[in-house]
Amino acid sequence: MRGATRARWAVGAVAVALTATACGGGDSGGGGGGGGADGIVSSSWGDPQNPLEPANTNEVQGGKVLDMVFRGLVRYDSKTGQAKNEIAEKIDSSDSQNFTITIKDNWTFSNGEKVTAQSFVDAWNYGAALKNNQKNAYFFQYIDGYDKVHPESGSASVDKLSGLKVVNPTTFTVKLSQKFSLWPDTLGYAAFVPLPKAFYSDHDAWLSKPIGNGPYTIESYSKGSSMNLRRWDDYPGTDKAQNGGIDLKVYTDNNTAYTDLTAGNLDLVDDVPASQLKNVQADLGDRYINTPAGLIQTLSFPFYEKAWDTPGAVKVRQGLSMAINRDQITDQIFQKTRTPASDWTSPVLGEEGGFKEGLCGPSCDYDKAGAKKLIEEGGGIPGGQLKISYNADTGSHKEWVDAVCNSINNALGNNKACVGDPIGTFADFRSQVSTQKLTGAWRAGWQMDYPLIQNFLQPLYYTNAPSNDGKWSNDEFDGLVNKANAETDKAKAVSTFQDAEKILAEQMPVIPLWYQNGSAGYSDSVENVALNVFSVPVYNEIKVK
Amino acid sequence: MGRYVIRRLLQMIPVFFGTTLLIFFMVNVLGDPIAGLCGERRCDPATAARLASEFGLDKPAWQQYLTYLGNIFTGDFGTAFNGDKVIDLMGEAFPVTIKLTVVAIVFEIVIGISLGVVTGLRRGRPIDTGVLILTLVVIAVPTFVTGLLLQLLLGVEWGIIKPSVSPEAPIDELIVPGLVLASVSLAYVTRLTRTSIAENARADYVRTAVAKGLPRRRVIVRHLLRNSLIPVVTFIGTDVGALMGGAIVTERIFNIHGVGYQLYQGILRQSSQTVVGFVTVLVLVFLAANLIVDLLYAVLDPRIRYA
């Protein structure tokens, strides 16, 4: 009861602060504490699906909070996606397999505890251990000893990764189980952040109010409805918050969030609903952001089904890819919030990072006649009809799946060649995909974990990789990926990955459809709003007018 | 009367078991919830197995159901997938939805019955025809259209209300959502009252009351209305449960974090603990509302007795 009263009081205070912000535009630094550097930004939010633990958060809503509350060894530049040392002083390796990590010694958690090498090692051991049920445990799979603390089945024999050793308070060493030259670049992912002792000693209290080392601290968190984050004034990093704090509000529907934005009750919406895309220019003008994100959408095929794993089926898949009019669909259905894909990565990687426009070649260009010819040469669609499965509950997939089917049917001159196959819920859809129950194609999407070309290829197409749901397998591809990982020179590693990607173009195990953009809109009381390469707003740089 | 209540309460027990059993198995056949928890990528098998055993999903469904029922009697409704206790979710969601329902019911009673009385007494006059057409429109237009329209006009265009309700959901913010939620039932209440009043207005006891020279107000309120209310009360009673469960649309539009929202999330994430828990409580509310309605009959019409 007391808790409730306090929460109400806090929200009341926030409401007052918000009102002050709203009318703070006129008086410059009038001492109200509402606008300017102390202004509070309100932003839309969704209920996180999992408890807020760094190694247990695999979706964007929880990730948003971790991004504000935590900093790791490495941080990705919000514009270029390049990995830059943050807490790490240096990460050295002579053989791409044994790494020595030295950290800066001025970092602390917001409760005053020092960030040491031990804070990292303990956190990683916790994240990897099977007994803690962390959904992102596989991020630690390259560290030596992972198969002992997290075996495929059965129970763990030890609970610490043998590859991690603390040398002194600011140094620790990591031994990987295989060569992986780009491994330091993966360390910007939230699963690799350090954790304070309070996390282990009083886990429940920590979960109800996480303590981190980032630019914000959590002032109050009422599960399922809101979280108030405030700037941490003693934050040791260079990217201090430019505002007084962020109030995240959970919305039942992103349409309501958008309505609240247009009515002036909300400062930032980081997911403009598809139904509003037509009005967004008129409503927001240049306060609408539509920038590429590290997200690609594809059509996957079941290679565990004999009919799809034949030489002829390669031609069929290439033909199907040619039959899809990507330009028209991204224009008309997505209002240009997607970009037609012509490789298997994402433009956010940049040329240097491995993105190569047109790598897919003519297979990804719309060509009605060519498509029909190829599919006929390949022996036609296995089973005579292509079924594209999708989940009907969220994401409005029906529209584009129907459009893709129309496009294919048009090319083949047969209006039964392709049909959509809706599955009720996301959970059911995923369970059918991951247990190999589907016999036709299905929609797939991949959001990168870290801006590396490796992340767009290995987890998805390597033999038996965790997200290789279609069970595609190609020795040449696997060999090139291994070779790329062992490469000590980054540029060489990237180009070897691109060689592997060319095999995808020849074999077409999945059809690339389009790159997804992040979209956001903001009110005229804030400025300097941008989305990072993960399409999460760069909260700490938002300024309140 | 006492025995009647006890008998009714005993009848609720099989209904309770039947509904929980049905809901439990219906949610269970929807698929593997763990697959949805890991997002677009597959859970690694070891973690998936551990999660399944933590939530008891690795056991046969009947065993899960028995464990679940056992827990309910100790007040433990289980844990939702995001780590929240379902009982805590209920503690947050039900007060909000109850407030919203009360607002809606008050609208139904005050506006619905008044309009019904007015039109019932003036049958065939312009006001009667006008209200009839109006109720027809309200019944015909889906709730989400009314809701979105009011939200757009009052919230965005004219700025009279806030388009979304804050998490604590104070009563003043719930007035418009409550009106939207009540709208269709309100129209039915109006029509029911009107018909009932119109029928009874020609009854002997009303003529007698008028002949005795009683004031018109007393004739209408004490004699005519009281006797005409039985069908209306029945409708409103059953409507309590329907409103609480059916608030999903209204709650989504106005960002109300109530029962509808939690149920929606629970179904999307296949969190059987959340769905079954909430539906169980809704069933109990529904049963209790029905009992109260039956008991109210005796108050309205003393000729009705219970054995």
Side-chain angles (χ1 to χ4, degrees), chain A residues 47 49 58 130-131 133 138 150-152 223-224 250-252 256 260 265 393 425 428 430-431 443 446 449 467, chain B residues 30 35-36 38-42 44 46-47 50 54 82 84 92 156 163-164 251-253 255 257 261 268-270:
Chain A
D47 196 17
Q49 202 177 352
N58 57 0
L130 178 59
K131 63 169 194 276
N133 292 346
Y138 62 90
H150 199 117
E152 284 273 317
K223 279 189 183 163
V250 172
Y251 278 88
T252 49
T256 314
D260 247 2
N265 288 328
D393 54 349
T425 62
D428 194 16
R430 281 302 308 166
S431 105
R443 67 139 203 108
W446 180 255
D449 303 310
S467 293
Chain B
L30 276 175
C38 289
E40 291 282 358
R41 72 191 75 213
R42 200 172 67 211
D44 71 274
T47 308
R50 275 195 59 94
E54 189 181 303
N82 61 353
D84 293 346
E92 282 160 27
V156 182
S164 71
E251 291 191 354
R252 252 180 93 88
I253 294 175
N255 192 40
H257 297 257
Y261 170 66
L268 276 191
R269 293 175 184 175
Q270 291 197 359

Short mmCIF file of all heavy atoms in Angstrom, two decimals, chain A residues 47 49 58 130-131 133 138 150-152 223-224 250-252 256 260 265 393 425 428 430-431 443 446 449 467, chain B residues 30 35-36 38-42 44 46-47 50 54 82 84 92 156 163-164 251-253 255 257 261 268-270:
data_model
loop_
_atom_site.label_atom_id
_atom_site.label_comp_id
_atom_site.label_asym_id
_atom_site.label_seq_id
_atom_site.Cartn_x
_atom_site.Cartn_y
_atom_site.Cartn_z
N ASP A 47 6.08 -3.60 -22.84
CA ASP A 47 6.39 -4.42 -21.68
C ASP A 47 7.49 -5.42 -22.05
O ASP A 47 7.31 -6.22 -22.95
CB ASP A 47 5.10 -5.16 -21.29
CG ASP A 47 5.19 -5.73 -19.91
OD1 ASP A 47 6.06 -5.29 -19.15
OD2 ASP A 47 4.38 -6.62 -19.59
N GLN A 49 9.62 -8.67 -22.43
CA GLN A 49 9.10 -10.02 -22.41
C GLN A 49 9.75 -10.89 -21.34
O GLN A 49 9.17 -11.85 -20.87
CB GLN A 49 9.36 -10.64 -23.79
CG GLN A 49 8.45 -11.79 -24.10
CD GLN A 49 8.69 -12.30 -25.50
OE1 GLN A 49 9.42 -11.71 -26.28
NE2 GLN A 49 8.08 -13.42 -25.82
N ASN A 58 16.43 -10.46 -24.95
CA ASN A 58 16.68 -10.69 -26.36
C ASN A 58 15.71 -9.92 -27.24
O ASN A 58 15.56 -10.21 -28.40
CB ASN A 58 16.61 -12.19 -26.67
CG ASN A 58 15.28 -12.78 -26.26
OD1 ASN A 58 14.42 -12.08 -25.75
ND2 ASN A 58 15.11 -14.06 -26.49
N LEU A 130 24.26 -22.74 -17.35
CA LEU A 130 22.96 -23.32 -17.71
C LEU A 130 21.93 -23.11 -16.61
O LEU A 130 20.76 -22.85 -16.87
CB LEU A 130 23.16 -24.82 -17.99
CG LEU A 130 21.92 -25.63 -18.33
CD1 LEU A 130 21.23 -25.05 -19.55
CD2 LEU A 130 22.28 -27.08 -18.58
N LYS A 131 22.37 -23.20 -15.36
CA LYS A 131 21.40 -23.16 -14.26
C LYS A 131 20.70 -21.82 -14.15
O LYS A 131 19.66 -21.71 -13.51
CB LYS A 131 22.09 -23.52 -12.93
CG LYS A 131 23.17 -22.54 -12.51
CD LYS A 131 23.59 -22.84 -11.06
CE LYS A 131 24.40 -21.73 -10.46
NZ LYS A 131 25.79 -21.70 -10.70
N ASN A 133 19.38 -20.13 -16.67
CA ASN A 133 18.35 -20.00 -17.72
C ASN A 133 18.44 -18.72 -18.53
O ASN A 133 17.42 -18.12 -18.85
CB ASN A 133 16.94 -20.01 -17.12
CG ASN A 133 16.59 -21.34 -16.53
OD1 ASN A 133 17.28 -22.32 -16.79
ND2 ASN A 133 15.53 -21.39 -15.75
N TYR A 138 24.13 -18.23 -25.37
CA TYR A 138 24.96 -18.64 -26.51
C TYR A 138 25.94 -17.55 -26.95
O TYR A 138 26.81 -17.81 -27.76
CB TYR A 138 24.08 -19.08 -27.67
CG TYR A 138 23.19 -18.00 -28.19
CD1 TYR A 138 23.64 -17.16 -29.20
CD2 TYR A 138 21.91 -17.81 -27.66
CE1 TYR A 138 22.83 -16.14 -29.66
CE2 TYR A 138 21.10 -16.80 -28.12
CZ TYR A 138 21.56 -15.98 -29.12
OH TYR A 138 20.76 -14.97 -29.57
N HIS A 150 27.54 -25.15 -20.18
CA HIS A 150 26.25 -25.09 -20.87
C HIS A 150 26.19 -26.19 -21.93
O HIS A 150 26.22 -25.92 -23.13
CB HIS A 150 26.08 -23.72 -21.53
CG HIS A 150 24.65 -23.42 -21.85
ND1 HIS A 150 23.97 -22.37 -21.29
CD2 HIS A 150 23.77 -24.04 -22.66
CE1 HIS A 150 22.73 -22.35 -21.76
NE2 HIS A 150 22.58 -23.36 -22.59
N PRO A 151 26.12 -27.45 -21.46
CA PRO A 151 26.08 -28.56 -22.42
C PRO A 151 24.77 -28.55 -23.21
O PRO A 151 23.77 -27.97 -22.75
CB PRO A 151 26.19 -29.80 -21.54
CG PRO A 151 25.73 -29.36 -20.20
CD PRO A 151 26.02 -27.91 -20.08
N GLU A 152 24.78 -29.19 -24.37
CA GLU A 152 23.59 -29.26 -25.23
C GLU A 152 22.40 -29.84 -24.49
O GLU A 152 21.26 -29.46 -24.69
CB GLU A 152 23.91 -30.13 -26.45
CG GLU A 152 24.76 -29.45 -27.50
CD GLU A 152 23.92 -28.67 -28.49
OE1 GLU A 152 22.88 -29.19 -28.92
OE2 GLU A 152 24.29 -27.53 -28.80
N LYS A 223 6.34 -2.40 -12.93
CA LYS A 223 6.31 -3.39 -14.00
C LYS A 223 5.04 -3.28 -14.83
O LYS A 223 3.97 -3.12 -14.29
CB LYS A 223 6.43 -4.78 -13.42
CG LYS A 223 7.86 -5.13 -13.12
CD LYS A 223 8.02 -6.59 -12.74
CE LYS A 223 9.46 -6.86 -12.37
NZ LYS A 223 9.63 -8.09 -11.64
N GLY A 224 5.21 -3.35 -16.12
CA GLY A 224 4.06 -3.35 -17.00
C GLY A 224 3.48 -1.99 -17.25
O GLY A 224 2.60 -1.84 -18.08
N VAL A 250 4.61 2.46 -20.89
CA VAL A 250 4.15 1.29 -21.64
C VAL A 250 2.82 1.60 -22.30
O VAL A 250 1.90 2.11 -21.65
CB VAL A 250 3.99 0.07 -20.71
CG1 VAL A 250 3.32 -1.08 -21.46
CG2 VAL A 250 5.33 -0.37 -20.18
N TYR A 251 2.74 1.34 -23.60
CA TYR A 251 1.49 1.55 -24.31
C TYR A 251 0.87 0.22 -24.70
O TYR A 251 1.58 -0.72 -25.07
CB TYR A 251 1.71 2.41 -25.56
CG TYR A 251 1.73 3.86 -25.21
CD1 TYR A 251 2.91 4.49 -24.84
CD2 TYR A 251 0.55 4.60 -25.19
CE1 TYR A 251 2.92 5.82 -24.49
CE2 TYR A 251 0.56 5.93 -24.83
CZ TYR A 251 1.74 6.54 -24.48
OH TYR A 251 1.73 7.86 -24.12
N THR A 252 -0.45 0.14 -24.60
CA THR A 252 -1.14 -1.08 -24.97
C THR A 252 -1.12 -1.26 -26.47
O THR A 252 -1.27 -2.35 -26.97
CB THR A 252 -2.60 -1.03 -24.49
OG1 THR A 252 -3.15 0.22 -24.90
CG2 THR A 252 -2.66 -1.14 -22.98
N THR A 256 -1.96 4.19 -30.06
CA THR A 256 -2.29 5.11 -28.98
C THR A 256 -1.09 5.99 -28.66
O THR A 256 -1.23 7.19 -28.38
CB THR A 256 -2.72 4.33 -27.73
OG1 THR A 256 -3.64 3.33 -28.11
CG2 THR A 256 -3.36 5.25 -26.72
N ASP A 260 -0.98 9.98 -28.79
CA ASP A 260 -0.49 10.79 -27.67
C ASP A 260 0.59 11.77 -28.13
O ASP A 260 0.67 12.89 -27.66
CB ASP A 260 0.09 9.88 -26.58
CG ASP A 260 -0.76 9.92 -25.32
OD1 ASP A 260 -1.79 10.63 -25.34
OD2 ASP A 260 -0.40 9.27 -24.33
N ASN A 265 1.19 14.83 -25.66
CA ASN A 265 1.38 14.23 -24.35
C ASN A 265 2.62 13.36 -24.27
O ASN A 265 2.90 12.78 -23.22
CB ASN A 265 0.19 13.34 -23.99
CG ASN A 265 -1.03 14.17 -23.69
OD1 ASN A 265 -0.91 15.29 -23.18
ND2 ASN A 265 -2.18 13.65 -23.99
N ASP A 393 -0.63 -12.68 -35.58
CA ASP A 393 -1.01 -11.86 -34.43
C ASP A 393 -0.36 -10.48 -34.41
O ASP A 393 -0.99 -9.50 -34.07
CB ASP A 393 -0.72 -12.60 -33.11
CG ASP A 393 0.73 -13.08 -33.02
OD1 ASP A 393 1.44 -13.02 -34.03
OD2 ASP A 393 1.13 -13.50 -31.93
N THR A 425 -0.53 -17.50 -33.48
CA THR A 425 0.30 -16.69 -32.60
C THR A 425 1.77 -16.84 -32.95
O THR A 425 2.17 -17.81 -33.57
CB THR A 425 0.15 -17.10 -31.12
OG1 THR A 425 0.59 -18.46 -31.00
CG2 THR A 425 -1.28 -16.98 -30.66
N ASP A 428 3.31 -19.99 -31.52
CA ASP A 428 3.00 -21.20 -32.27
C ASP A 428 3.81 -21.22 -33.57
O ASP A 428 4.36 -22.25 -33.96
CB ASP A 428 1.50 -21.24 -32.58
CG ASP A 428 1.06 -22.62 -33.04
OD1 ASP A 428 1.83 -23.57 -32.84
OD2 ASP A 428 -0.03 -22.74 -33.60
N ARG A 430 6.72 -19.78 -34.14
CA ARG A 430 8.11 -20.07 -33.85
C ARG A 430 8.29 -21.54 -33.47
O ARG A 430 9.30 -22.15 -33.80
CB ARG A 430 8.63 -19.18 -32.71
CG ARG A 430 9.00 -17.77 -33.14
CD ARG A 430 10.05 -17.74 -34.22
NE ARG A 430 11.23 -18.53 -33.88
CZ ARG A 430 12.16 -18.88 -34.75
NH1 ARG A 430 12.05 -18.54 -36.01
NH2 ARG A 430 13.19 -19.59 -34.37
N SER A 431 7.30 -22.08 -32.78
CA SER A 431 7.49 -23.48 -32.37
C SER A 431 7.42 -24.39 -33.60
O SER A 431 8.15 -25.36 -33.70
CB SER A 431 6.52 -23.86 -31.26
OG SER A 431 5.48 -24.64 -31.73
N ARG A 443 8.15 -16.79 -43.46
CA ARG A 443 8.81 -15.49 -43.34
C ARG A 443 9.84 -15.58 -42.22
O ARG A 443 9.65 -16.27 -41.22
CB ARG A 443 7.80 -14.39 -43.02
CG ARG A 443 7.15 -14.50 -41.67
CD ARG A 443 7.02 -13.13 -41.00
NE ARG A 443 6.92 -13.29 -39.56
CZ ARG A 443 7.86 -12.97 -38.72
NH1 ARG A 443 8.99 -12.45 -39.15
NH2 ARG A 443 7.71 -13.17 -37.43
N TRP A 446 15.79 -11.15 -39.35
CA TRP A 446 16.99 -11.24 -38.54
C TRP A 446 17.41 -9.85 -38.12
O TRP A 446 17.70 -8.99 -38.95
CB TRP A 446 18.12 -11.92 -39.31
CG TRP A 446 19.37 -12.04 -38.52
CD1 TRP A 446 20.50 -11.30 -38.67
CD2 TRP A 446 19.62 -12.95 -37.45
NE1 TRP A 446 21.44 -11.70 -37.75
CE2 TRP A 446 20.93 -12.71 -36.99
CE3 TRP A 446 18.86 -13.95 -36.83
CZ2 TRP A 446 21.50 -13.43 -35.93
CZ3 TRP A 446 19.43 -14.67 -35.78
CH2 TRP A 446 20.73 -14.40 -35.34
N ASP A 449 22.76 -8.70 -33.79
CA ASP A 449 23.14 -8.53 -32.39
C ASP A 449 24.25 -7.51 -32.28
O ASP A 449 24.34 -6.76 -31.34
CB ASP A 449 23.61 -9.85 -31.81
CG ASP A 449 22.56 -10.92 -31.94
OD1 ASP A 449 21.42 -10.65 -31.55
OD2 ASP A 449 22.87 -12.01 -32.44
N SER A 467 20.22 -20.54 -35.44
CA SER A 467 19.06 -19.99 -36.12
C SER A 467 18.92 -20.49 -37.55
O SER A 467 18.21 -19.90 -38.35
CB SER A 467 19.11 -18.46 -36.10
OG SER A 467 18.95 -18.02 -34.79
N LEU B 30 -2.39 -24.44 -27.82
CA LEU B 30 -1.98 -23.39 -28.76
C LEU B 30 -0.55 -23.57 -29.27
O LEU B 30 -0.16 -22.96 -30.24
CB LEU B 30 -2.08 -22.02 -28.08
CG LEU B 30 -3.46 -21.38 -28.10
CD1 LEU B 30 -3.45 -20.11 -27.29
CD2 LEU B 30 -3.86 -21.08 -29.53
N ALA B 35 9.02 -21.56 -27.35
CA ALA B 35 9.53 -21.17 -28.67
C ALA B 35 9.33 -19.68 -28.92
O ALA B 35 10.15 -19.03 -29.54
CB ALA B 35 8.83 -21.98 -29.76
N GLY B 36 8.21 -19.13 -28.43
CA GLY B 36 7.94 -17.72 -28.62
C GLY B 36 8.80 -16.83 -27.74
O GLY B 36 9.09 -15.70 -28.08
N CYS B 38 11.92 -16.96 -27.06
CA CYS B 38 13.27 -16.67 -27.52
C CYS B 38 13.29 -15.78 -28.76
O CYS B 38 14.34 -15.54 -29.32
CB CYS B 38 14.02 -17.97 -27.80
SG CYS B 38 14.39 -18.81 -26.27
N GLY B 39 12.13 -15.31 -29.21
CA GLY B 39 12.12 -14.39 -30.34
C GLY B 39 12.36 -15.12 -31.65
O GLY B 39 12.07 -16.30 -31.77
N GLU B 40 12.94 -14.40 -32.61
CA GLU B 40 13.09 -14.94 -33.96
C GLU B 40 14.13 -16.06 -34.03
O GLU B 40 14.28 -16.70 -35.04
CB GLU B 40 13.48 -13.84 -34.94
CG GLU B 40 12.39 -12.83 -35.23
CD GLU B 40 11.33 -13.34 -36.20
OE1 GLU B 40 11.46 -14.47 -36.68
OE2 GLU B 40 10.37 -12.60 -36.45
N ARG B 41 14.89 -16.27 -32.96
CA ARG B 41 15.88 -17.34 -33.03
C ARG B 41 15.44 -18.47 -32.10
O ARG B 41 14.65 -18.27 -31.20
CB ARG B 41 17.24 -16.82 -32.65
CG ARG B 41 17.39 -16.54 -31.16
CD ARG B 41 18.67 -15.80 -30.91
NE ARG B 41 18.53 -14.42 -31.32
CZ ARG B 41 19.51 -13.70 -31.81
NH1 ARG B 41 20.67 -14.24 -32.00
NH2 ARG B 41 19.32 -12.44 -32.13
N ARG B 42 16.00 -19.63 -32.35
CA ARG B 42 15.60 -20.78 -31.55
C ARG B 42 16.29 -20.73 -30.19
O ARG B 42 17.44 -20.35 -30.08
CB ARG B 42 16.01 -22.04 -32.30
CG ARG B 42 15.28 -23.26 -31.87
CD ARG B 42 15.62 -24.40 -32.79
NE ARG B 42 17.01 -24.78 -32.63
CZ ARG B 42 17.75 -25.28 -33.60
NH1 ARG B 42 17.26 -25.43 -34.80
NH2 ARG B 42 19.00 -25.63 -33.39
N ASP B 44 18.33 -22.29 -27.20
CA ASP B 44 19.20 -23.46 -27.25
C ASP B 44 18.52 -24.56 -26.42
O ASP B 44 17.83 -24.28 -25.44
CB ASP B 44 20.62 -23.14 -26.81
CG ASP B 44 20.74 -22.88 -25.34
OD1 ASP B 44 20.52 -21.70 -24.95
OD2 ASP B 44 21.00 -23.81 -24.60
N ALA B 46 19.16 -26.83 -24.28
CA ALA B 46 19.34 -27.02 -22.85
C ALA B 46 18.56 -25.98 -22.05
O ALA B 46 17.87 -26.31 -21.08
CB ALA B 46 20.83 -26.95 -22.51
N THR B 47 18.65 -24.72 -22.47
CA THR B 47 17.91 -23.66 -21.78
C THR B 47 16.41 -23.89 -21.92
O THR B 47 15.65 -23.74 -20.96
CB THR B 47 18.28 -22.28 -22.34
OG1 THR B 47 19.69 -22.15 -22.35
CG2 THR B 47 17.68 -21.18 -21.51
N ARG B 50 15.28 -26.45 -19.55
CA ARG B 50 15.26 -25.97 -18.17
C ARG B 50 14.07 -25.05 -17.92
O ARG B 50 13.41 -25.12 -16.88
CB ARG B 50 16.55 -25.24 -17.85
CG ARG B 50 17.68 -26.15 -17.42
CD ARG B 50 18.78 -25.33 -16.79
NE ARG B 50 18.30 -24.59 -15.64
CZ ARG B 50 18.39 -25.03 -14.40
NH1 ARG B 50 18.95 -26.16 -14.14
NH2 ARG B 50 17.92 -24.29 -13.40
N GLU B 54 11.00 -25.49 -15.38
CA GLU B 54 10.72 -24.47 -14.37
C GLU B 54 9.23 -24.09 -14.38
O GLU B 54 8.63 -23.90 -13.34
CB GLU B 54 11.58 -23.24 -14.65
CG GLU B 54 11.52 -22.20 -13.53
CD GLU B 54 12.38 -21.00 -13.86
OE1 GLU B 54 13.59 -21.20 -14.09
OE2 GLU B 54 11.85 -19.88 -13.88
N ASN B 82 7.37 -13.19 -17.90
CA ASN B 82 8.35 -12.11 -17.68
C ASN B 82 8.78 -12.03 -16.22
O ASN B 82 9.39 -11.07 -15.80
CB ASN B 82 7.81 -10.77 -18.17
CG ASN B 82 6.55 -10.36 -17.45
OD1 ASN B 82 6.00 -11.11 -16.67
ND2 ASN B 82 6.11 -9.14 -17.70
N ASP B 84 6.91 -11.90 -13.51
CA ASP B 84 5.97 -11.31 -12.55
C ASP B 84 5.04 -12.37 -12.01
O ASP B 84 4.60 -13.25 -12.73
CB ASP B 84 5.10 -10.25 -13.26
CG ASP B 84 5.92 -9.06 -13.68
OD1 ASP B 84 7.05 -8.94 -13.20
OD2 ASP B 84 5.42 -8.25 -14.48
N GLU B 92 -2.69 -5.29 -9.96
CA GLU B 92 -2.61 -4.05 -10.70
C GLU B 92 -3.78 -3.90 -11.67
O GLU B 92 -4.33 -2.83 -11.83
CB GLU B 92 -1.31 -4.01 -11.52
CG GLU B 92 -0.09 -3.67 -10.70
CD GLU B 92 1.19 -4.10 -11.39
OE1 GLU B 92 1.20 -4.19 -12.62
OE2 GLU B 92 2.17 -4.38 -10.67
N VAL B 156 -7.28 14.76 -29.51
CA VAL B 156 -6.27 15.40 -30.36
C VAL B 156 -6.78 16.73 -30.90
O VAL B 156 -6.14 17.76 -30.77
CB VAL B 156 -5.87 14.46 -31.52
CG1 VAL B 156 -4.80 15.12 -32.36
CG2 VAL B 156 -5.35 13.15 -30.95
N PRO B 163 -5.61 11.77 -24.62
CA PRO B 163 -5.99 10.61 -25.44
C PRO B 163 -5.66 9.27 -24.78
O PRO B 163 -6.27 8.26 -25.11
CB PRO B 163 -5.15 10.78 -26.70
CG PRO B 163 -4.48 12.08 -26.62
CD PRO B 163 -4.60 12.60 -25.25
N SER B 164 -4.69 9.26 -23.86
CA SER B 164 -4.39 7.99 -23.22
C SER B 164 -4.53 8.14 -21.72
O SER B 164 -4.35 9.22 -21.17
CB SER B 164 -2.97 7.55 -23.55
OG SER B 164 -2.05 8.39 -22.89
N GLU B 251 -9.68 -0.95 -23.76
CA GLU B 251 -8.43 -0.79 -23.02
C GLU B 251 -7.26 -0.57 -23.95
O GLU B 251 -6.35 0.20 -23.66
CB GLU B 251 -8.19 -2.00 -22.12
CG GLU B 251 -9.19 -2.06 -20.98
CD GLU B 251 -8.83 -3.09 -19.91
OE1 GLU B 251 -7.87 -3.83 -20.11
OE2 GLU B 251 -9.54 -3.13 -18.90
N ARG B 252 -7.29 -1.21 -25.11
CA ARG B 252 -6.20 -1.02 -26.06
C ARG B 252 -6.21 0.40 -26.61
O ARG B 252 -5.19 1.06 -26.68
CB ARG B 252 -6.33 -2.01 -27.22
CG ARG B 252 -5.30 -3.10 -27.19
CD ARG B 252 -5.52 -4.01 -28.36
NE ARG B 252 -4.70 -3.59 -29.48
CZ ARG B 252 -3.45 -4.01 -29.66
NH1 ARG B 252 -2.89 -4.80 -28.80
NH2 ARG B 252 -2.77 -3.63 -30.71
N ILE B 253 -7.40 0.86 -26.99
CA ILE B 253 -7.48 2.19 -27.61
C ILE B 253 -7.01 3.27 -26.64
O ILE B 253 -6.25 4.14 -26.99
CB ILE B 253 -8.93 2.48 -28.07
CG1 ILE B 253 -9.30 1.52 -29.19
CG2 ILE B 253 -9.08 3.93 -28.51
CD1 ILE B 253 -10.73 1.63 -29.64
N ASN B 255 -5.21 2.94 -23.87
CA ASN B 255 -4.01 2.64 -23.10
C ASN B 255 -4.31 2.40 -21.63
O ASN B 255 -3.67 2.96 -20.75
CB ASN B 255 -3.00 3.79 -23.25
CG ASN B 255 -1.64 3.41 -22.72
OD1 ASN B 255 -1.19 2.28 -22.92
ND2 ASN B 255 -0.99 4.33 -22.03
N HIS B 257 -4.21 -0.07 -18.57
CA HIS B 257 -3.51 -1.30 -18.23
C HIS B 257 -4.37 -2.16 -17.31
O HIS B 257 -4.10 -2.28 -16.13
CB HIS B 257 -2.17 -1.00 -17.58
CG HIS B 257 -1.25 -0.28 -18.50
ND1 HIS B 257 -0.21 -0.89 -19.13
CD2 HIS B 257 -1.26 1.00 -18.95
CE1 HIS B 257 0.41 -0.02 -19.89
NE2 HIS B 257 -0.21 1.13 -19.81
N TYR B 261 -5.93 -5.86 -21.20
CA TYR B 261 -4.55 -5.74 -21.67
C TYR B 261 -3.73 -6.95 -21.22
O TYR B 261 -3.00 -7.54 -22.01
CB TYR B 261 -3.95 -4.44 -21.12
CG TYR B 261 -2.47 -4.30 -21.33
CD1 TYR B 261 -1.95 -4.18 -22.60
CD2 TYR B 261 -1.60 -4.26 -20.24
CE1 TYR B 261 -0.59 -4.04 -22.80
CE2 TYR B 261 -0.24 -4.13 -20.42
CZ TYR B 261 0.26 -4.02 -21.70
OH TYR B 261 1.61 -3.88 -21.89
N LEU B 268 -1.02 -13.57 -26.40
CA LEU B 268 0.06 -13.41 -27.37
C LEU B 268 1.28 -14.22 -26.97
O LEU B 268 1.94 -14.83 -27.79
CB LEU B 268 0.47 -11.95 -27.48
CG LEU B 268 -0.34 -11.06 -28.39
CD1 LEU B 268 0.36 -9.73 -28.56
CD2 LEU B 268 -0.55 -11.72 -29.74
N ARG B 269 1.60 -14.19 -25.68
CA ARG B 269 2.81 -14.87 -25.24
C ARG B 269 2.53 -16.29 -24.77
O ARG B 269 3.40 -16.96 -24.23
CB ARG B 269 3.46 -14.09 -24.10
CG ARG B 269 3.97 -12.76 -24.57
CD ARG B 269 4.50 -11.91 -23.46
NE ARG B 269 4.90 -10.61 -23.99
CZ ARG B 269 5.31 -9.61 -23.23
NH1 ARG B 269 5.37 -9.75 -21.94
NH2 ARG B 269 5.65 -8.48 -23.78
N GLN B 270 1.28 -16.71 -24.93
CA GLN B 270 0.88 -18.06 -24.50
C GLN B 270 1.24 -18.34 -23.07
O GLN B 270 1.67 -19.43 -22.72
CB GLN B 270 1.49 -19.11 -25.41
CG GLN B 270 0.89 -19.05 -26.78
CD GLN B 270 1.18 -20.29 -27.57
OE1 GLN B 270 1.83 -21.20 -27.11
NE2 GLN B 270 0.66 -20.35 -28.75
#
